[in-house]
Amino acid sequence: MASIPFLGYKREVRRRRPTVISRQVEAEAQLLRHVQELAFRDEIADVPFLTVSDEEMYMEILGILLRAFKSRFGVFGYIDETGALVVPTMTPHVWDRCQVSEKAQVFPRDEWGESIWPRAIRQKKILHSNERSLLTPEGHVAIDRNIAAPVIHRGEVVGLFQIANKDSDYDDNDLALAQAMADAIAPILAGRLARERERLSRVEEEARRLRSENALKLSEERIRGLLGAMPDVVLLCAADGTFLDCHTADTSAGSGNTSESASPFDMPGAFLGKKPADVFSPGVAKELSAAIALALETGCLQTFEYEVAVGDSEKHSEVRVAPAGNRPELLVLVRDITDVVHARRELEDLVQSKDDFIATISHELRTPLTGILGYAHLLHGGADGMTPEERQQITETLVDQSTELAGLVEDLLVSAKADLGRLRVARVKTDLRAQVAQVLEAWDPAAIPDVELSGPVARGIGDPARVRQIVRNLITNALRYGGSRIRITTAEHDPIVSLQISDNGSGIYPDDAYRVFEAYEKCSGETSTPASLGVGLFISRQLARLMGGDLSYRRENSETIFELTLPSENHNHTEYADPATRSALPAERIHARATVQPLPRRSHHTRIS
């Protein structure tokens, strides 16, 4: 009876032995997996996450994963700040074998699709499949089985690794290992990403700072360039008028201080901390203070002008006062407007000159026209009752008045051509004495009773018609402003010939002599005769110079002398041509295109009647 329990015990031992062995084997296998897991975790921990490059780090981690799961293919990546999956590395031969048309390492979230790895990220859990994937793009390496494991840190997916094509199916042990590996990678990857984002943030911040500094520098350079380009003084002043800052690019504006000491504009620091009365003259300081007060009260721009004597001239300045935004400060701009004031005065003079010219030409044209019209009516209405002598006298008067009017019109036409640079002259051999004789023959002897003509035949190079025009202008000038006796003398002084027209009149005031050849100027001595257009002498000199000569004025031995000079016939290659045959010559040998200065405009304040 005692052996029964013993036999039963032996049978029970034999029955339970396989279970104990199985549990022991399982425990040993679990211990081995744990040891392997610890080994892989230690390998991951040994990866220098913070010092190596992305490619090195991700490739090293991927190598550990491939060995741990005994798989041929794999990828390892992270989620960037935009939510895209970035895969810095994958199994090298996969990239080479992959025939996808557009390979990429960055996968935007909105292009993920519904394959296993996007679902693993969205569901935040490890997914696996032991069947061939049907969602891989065309040309992709075939995926027979795979595990997709999101790397989660503090509830957020920071990365993903995917292992594929193990020789056998992935089982629960692989899933457990994947979870352990993901847990081991998560804090280290999160730290690296945080560090990288912090670095990028610092880089971006530094880039923004540099851009801001560059923009500020560029803005400052532009402002400095703008201020430097302005001939102005720019002042910043407080509401009480105290100057807070100053910039000056030109010291010519003048401060209102007439002393010869240095202007405060030469020393911008002299303004700082001072008020208008400390640096400007009393009158300018008073106007500036009033402008500052009014600008503060109204918020509107205030302007005024002032002038100061600087040596023998005057400086004109404009002051503008404007509020500086919302601050209780003002900008004061002092500008040198001397040139503007002079230009404004010249414009006013030009307008006045035009008015004077129109009035003069109206008077000068009206005078002969009135006589012509009156005598014409007289002949038309009462010619039958006139004696032949009276009709002859009226006819001669009409001829004289018409000739005077034609001369005025000719002067105007020549002056207009000179103004446009279209004045032309001929250059042929011209006998000066013959031209004078022709002018005198056409003149009324009663108008020039005392004229002496002397001197040799003087042949020069010129335009006979223009020479006669000059002679007429000079005789007319002598009759109007000269004395009772007129002398005309020709001479030859190789290489020039000359023609002098002199009179015994009082001449021109010495102070006016420099203006005698200016257009529209009428200078005379004590004797005053009816006014002319004031262009005769100007045109005459222009014509003389176009012919290669000149026209000059001098006062000598109580006589007024105008002298016309032309090149001698021996110093010009132009062949002799009489006016009657001049048209047969080539045009280029007859005419010289005038390059004449436009008619200068007179100023009304310099005109002397």
Side-chain angles (χ1 to χ4, degrees):
M1 295 295 295
S3 63
I4 294 176
F6 177 75
L7 292 174
Y9 170 76
K10 290 176 69 176
R11 288 194 297 271
E12 184 65 22
V13 169
R14 286 194 298 271
R15 184 179 66 81
R16 294 184 180 183
R17 184 175 294 171
T19 302
V20 173
I21 294 173
S22 175
R23 289 178 180 175
Q24 183 177 358
V25 171
E26 182 179 352
E28 290 175 354
Q30 185 175 0
L31 178 60
L32 179 60
R33 288 194 299 272
H34 183 65
V35 170
Q36 291 176 337
E37 177 184 323
L38 290 177
F40 289 129
R41 291 171 69 100
D42 288 342
E43 283 190 64
I44 292 174
D46 290 338
V47 174
F49 273 78
L50 303 181
T51 57
V52 299
S53 65
D54 280 354
E55 183 176 358
E56 292 176 298
M57 186 273 291
Y58 286 99
M59 182 61 79
E60 192 163 348
I61 295 294
L62 180 58
I64 296 172
L65 294 172
L66 291 174
R67 290 196 305 274
F69 291 96
K70 299 176 181 170
S71 300
R72 293 193 297 273
F73 305 143
V75 296
F76 176 38
Y78 63 91
I79 305 296
D80 68 9
E81 62 275 5
T82 67
L85 175 66
V86 181
V87 182
T89 188
M90 58 183 65
T91 309
H93 57 277
V94 172
W95 182 271
D96 297 335
R97 291 171 55 188
C98 182
Q99 300 300 316
V100 176
S101 58
E102 294 183 1
K103 299 179 184 180
Q105 289 182 298
V106 179
F107 303 90
R109 183 177 289 269
D110 56 0
E111 299 177 9
W112 281 357
E114 293 299 329
S115 62
I116 189 170
W117 67 262
R119 290 187 287 112
I121 293 176
R122 294 190 189 104
Q123 297 175 24
K124 296 183 180 181
K125 68 177 184 179
I126 297 174
L127 300 179
H128 78 288
S129 172
N130 287 316
E131 297 179 357
R132 173 166 289 196
S133 174
L134 301 178
L135 297 178
T136 55
E138 184 178 355
H140 196 279
V141 174
I143 302 299
D144 296 326
R145 53 184 71 86
N146 70 97
I147 293 178
V151 179
I152 301 173
H153 181 70
R154 297 180 178 177
E156 296 295 329
V157 178
V158 296
L160 171 91
F161 65 83
Q162 187 177 16
I163 303 301
N165 289 12
K166 182 182 176 182
D167 289 338
S168 58
D169 288 346
Y170 293 103
D171 54 22
D172 291 341
N173 292 328
D174 293 316
L175 296 179
L177 179 60
Q179 185 64 61
M181 300 291 272
D183 292 342
I185 293 172
I188 304 174
L189 177 60
R192 181 182 177 93
L193 293 176
R195 190 203 67 165
E196 183 64 16
R197 285 166 184 162
E198 183 180 350
R199 185 187 69 81
L200 291 176
S201 177
R202 288 197 303 270
V203 170
E204 291 177 359
E205 182 64 28
E206 180 67 13
R208 283 194 296 269
R209 184 185 66 79
L210 290 176
R211 286 195 297 269
S212 298
E213 288 181 355
N214 290 335
L216 180 60
K217 183 179 179 181
L218 180 61
S219 177
E220 289 176 350
E221 289 176 352
R222 287 175 177 171
I223 292 174
R224 289 194 189 100
L226 180 62
L227 292 175
M230 295 190 302
D232 304 333
V233 176
V234 182
L235 302 167
L236 178 68
C237 69
D240 63 353
T242 302
F243 294 115
L244 306 176
D245 199 1
C246 172
H247 173 87
T248 175
D250 192 329
T251 61
S252 63
S255 65
N257 187 348
T258 59
S259 68
E260 297 182 357
S261 60
S263 165
F265 292 144
D266 296 329
M267 301 171 290
F271 281 93
L272 302 182
K274 296 184 179 180
K275 293 188 177 181
D278 299 326
V279 291
F280 289 96
S281 63
V284 176
K286 182 178 179 180
E287 284 199 67
L288 179 55
S289 298
I292 290 173
L294 193 57
L296 285 171
E297 180 182 351
T298 63
C300 298
L301 175 70
Q302 305 297 319
T303 63
F304 68 90
E305 296 179 8
Y306 70 90
E307 63 182 59
V308 295
V310 180
D312 297 332
S313 61
E314 290 183 344
K315 288 288 186 181
H316 299 265
S317 297
E318 178 192 63
V319 180
R320 295 189 173 202
V321 182
N326 296 323
R327 297 179 298 175
E329 296 174 348
L330 302 104
L331 288 174
V332 179
L333 179 67
V334 184
R335 301 190 62 191
D336 181 358
I337 59 169
T338 302
D339 292 340
V340 175
V341 171
H342 289 169
R344 188 165 59 206
R345 289 178 178 175
E346 288 179 2
L347 180 60
E348 293 170 355
D349 291 345
L350 182 61
V351 172
Q352 183 62 42
S353 174
K354 176 184 69 80
D355 294 341
D356 291 347
F357 175 73
I358 292 174
T360 299
I361 195 172
S362 299
H363 171 74
E364 293 300 318
L365 292 177
R366 188 186 303 115
T367 299
L369 278 175
T370 300
I372 292 170
L373 186 60
Y375 282 118
H377 280 303
L378 187 59
L379 287 175
H380 182 267
D384 294 339
M386 294 182 184
T387 64
E389 291 77 12
E390 290 174 333
R391 284 197 296 271
Q392 178 66 25
Q393 183 179 1
I394 291 176
T395 302
E396 291 177 354
T397 302
L398 283 173
V399 171
D400 292 341
Q401 296 281 359
S402 299
T403 301
E404 182 180 354
L405 183 60
L408 291 173
V409 173
E410 177 66 15
D411 283 348
L412 289 174
L413 291 175
V414 172
S415 127
K417 288 180 180 179
D419 209 1
L420 296 173
R422 297 177 180 175
L423 189 58
R424 293 174 179 266
V425 297
R427 289 177 180 172
V428 297
K429 292 185 178 182
T430 304
D431 185 344
L432 297 184
R433 186 179 177 88
Q435 305 310 315
V436 173
Q438 189 173 342
V439 171
L440 293 177
E441 287 175 4
W443 217 296
D444 182 5
I448 46 175
D450 189 11
V451 174
E452 298 179 14
L453 175 58
S454 62
V457 173
R459 288 191 176 92
I461 302 301
D463 185 326
R466 297 305 185 187
V467 170
R468 292 194 295 274
Q469 184 178 356
I470 294 173
V471 172
R472 279 194 298 270
N473 282 338
L474 294 178
I475 292 176
T476 300
N477 188 72
L479 290 173
R480 287 188 172 185
Y481 303 108
S484 58
R485 182 169 57 85
I486 300 174
R487 291 192 304 114
I488 303 175
T489 306
T490 58
E492 289 185 317
H493 308 283
D494 198 44
I496 63 170
V497 293
S498 67
L499 171 68
Q500 293 183 4
I501 298 181
S502 59
D503 67 78
N504 60 348
S506 58
I508 299 171
Y509 291 128
D511 292 342
D512 296 334
Y514 74 96
R515 295 188 291 112
V516 69
F517 292 110
E518 293 183 7
Y520 310 121
E521 295 291 347
K522 288 168 279 185
C523 309
S524 63
E526 296 177 357
T527 303
S528 178
T529 57
S532 66
L533 291 179
V535 296
L537 293 178
F538 168 78
I539 292 171
S540 297
R541 172 175 270 188
Q542 294 280 62
L543 291 172
R545 290 180 173 177
L546 283 172
M547 292 185 289
D550 204 355
L551 180 64
S552 60
Y553 161 82
R554 68 180 183 273
R555 183 77 177 167
E556 188 177 282
N557 298 327
S558 300
E559 284 190 327
T560 297
I561 301 174
F562 285 91
E563 182 176 23
L564 169 66
T565 59
L566 291 175
S568 169
E569 65 176 349
N570 298 323
H571 287 77
N572 192 289
H573 298 293
T574 304
E575 298 179 1
Y576 178 80
D578 186 83
T581 62
R582 196 172 40 180
S583 60
L585 292 175
E588 63 270 16
R589 293 170 58 188
I590 298 177
H591 296 292
R593 178 71 180 253
T595 305
V596 183
Q597 294 294 330
L599 291 179
R601 304 301 183 185
R602 63 191 163 97
S603 300
H604 72 275
H605 62 276
T606 60
R607 177 175 176 178
I608 301 176
S609 300

